[in-house]
């Protein structure tokens, strides 16, 4: 690759990364809003949520409390 190709590729990947981060923030926000119901209404265990969402147990605890 020449310098121009590298620069173009870096910019393309950077834009993709920004978009993915925005999507992840949106998904996290929705999961965070559902967390109290996941624990109380759906009776999901912390382990089941962890397995489904790849979140840490401390994060699940915080989000369940509405943090």
């Amino acid at each position: 690759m020449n310098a121009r190709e590298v620069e173009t590729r870096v910019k393309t990947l950077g834009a993709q990364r920004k978009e993915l981060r925005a999507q992840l923030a949106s998904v996290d926000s929705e999961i965070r809003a559902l967390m109290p119901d996941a624990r109380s209404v759906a009776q999901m265990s912390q382990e089941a949520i962890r397995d489904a969402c790849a979140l840490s147990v401390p994060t699940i605890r915080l989000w369940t409390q509405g943090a």
Side-chain angles (χ1 to χ4, degrees):
M1 276 197 223
N2 64 36
R4 176 173 249 180
E5 291 171 330
V6 170
E7 183 178 348
T8 299
R9 187 68 180 146
V10 167
K11 288 179 180 179
T12 300
L13 290 171
Q16 288 175 350
R17 186 172 188 277
K18 286 179 185 177
E19 177 61 30
L20 289 170
R21 289 177 63 90
Q23 289 176 12
L24 179 59
S26 176
V27 167
D28 279 353
S29 178
E30 191 169 344
I31 291 171
R32 185 179 294 120
L34 288 170
M35 195 61 64
D37 286 342
R39 294 288 286 140
S40 64
V41 176
Q43 296 294 307
M44 291 179 74
S45 68
Q46 291 177 349
E47 292 75 19
I49 295 169
R50 182 192 64 215
D51 293 345
C53 301
L55 294 170
S56 68
V57 170
T59 298
I60 294 166
R61 285 185 191 129
L62 284 174
W63 288 7
T64 299
Q65 296 169 357

